[in-house]
């Protein structure tokens, strides 16, 4: 499968974060600021770029206006696909959300039992490299060269973990032609509102 993994990194602080706000509140807040976009290309190359509009234009040139010539993989698609749609007008036709795949395969922890679907917990479960900590970016709107280097490493690792999770979770879907559209429906309807 031709999979393109995407992961946005954005400004957050102790009072302004996805732990305190809904995704819509967060993205529409005047403090919203994108630091960059991490990409894992179908050939396995990873990069993190701060020139997000230029990068997205390059992706559209290769994969089509709505990235229809690839499958976009994200972890927590409500966030990344919301940004793609609301900030850049891109609505990927084919996408998978590894968080939703994990819920489907392992059950939801909040439903009694189940497995946490946080990226770090899933990385540990599947024996993947550990997810790094992002505390160094709390309250940082304009990163220093050193912070940007750390953020680049952090973001590139996240897309690697997401790609590896997709490789491990997709084979566990028994009827992908039925299950995947159902799983992704909630993300599509949320991000296109």
């Amino acid at each position: 499968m031709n999979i393109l993994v995407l992961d946005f990194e954005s400004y957050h602080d102790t009072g302004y974060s996805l732990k305190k706000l809904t995704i819509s509140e967060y993205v529409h807040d005047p403090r919203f600021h994108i630091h960059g976009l991490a990409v894992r290309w179908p050939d396995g190359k990873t990069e993190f770029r701060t020139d997000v509009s230029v990068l997205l234009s390059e992706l559209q040139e290769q994969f089509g206006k709505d990235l229809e010539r690839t499958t976009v993989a994200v972890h927590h698609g409500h966030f990344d696909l919301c940004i793609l749609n609301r900030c850049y007008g891109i609505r990927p036709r084919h996408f998978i959300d590894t968080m939703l795949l994990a819920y489907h395969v392992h059950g939801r922890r909040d439903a009694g039992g189940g497995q946490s679907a946080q990226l770090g917990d899933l990385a540990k479960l599947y024996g993947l490299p550990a997810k790094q900590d992002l505390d160094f970016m709390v309250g940082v709107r304009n990163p220093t060269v050193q912070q940007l280097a750390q953020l680049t490493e952090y973001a590139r690792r996240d897309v690697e973990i997401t790609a590896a999770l997709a490789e491990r979770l997709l084979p566990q879907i028994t009827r992908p032609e039925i299950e995947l559209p159902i799983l992704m429906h909630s993300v599509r309807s949320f991000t296109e509102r």
Side-chain angles (χ1 to χ4, degrees), residues 91-120:
R91 295 171 185 86
R93 298 232 179 109
H94 315 288
F95 64 90
I96 55 173
D97 182 340
T98 53
M99 184 177 77
L100 293 180
L101 287 174
Y103 285 153
H104 186 68
V105 170
H106 299 292
R108 288 184 74 126
R109 177 174 276 178
D110 58 347
Q115 164 69 40
S116 166
Q118 290 187 19
L119 193 62

Side-chain angles (χ1 to χ4, degrees), residues 3 24 29 56 75 81 124 181 184 186 190:
I3 294 180
S24 290
D29 191 284
L56 289 172
H75 189 83
L81 296 178
K124 187 174 182 179
M184 303 313 146
S186 68
F190 173 82

Side-chain angles (χ1 to χ4, degrees), residues 23 27 47 49 61 64 68 83-84 87 95 97 102 108 111 122 129 135 144 148 150 154 157 165 173 176 180:
I23 292 169
V27 172
E47 65 180 318
R49 303 248 307 260
E61 189 175 300
E68 62 271 8
I83 293 171
L84 266 181
C87 299
F95 64 90
D97 182 340
R108 288 184 74 126
L122 291 169
D135 288 346
T144 65
L148 191 57
Q150 285 179 274
Y154 170 90
R157 176 162 305 181
L165 286 174
I173 303 295
L180 288 176

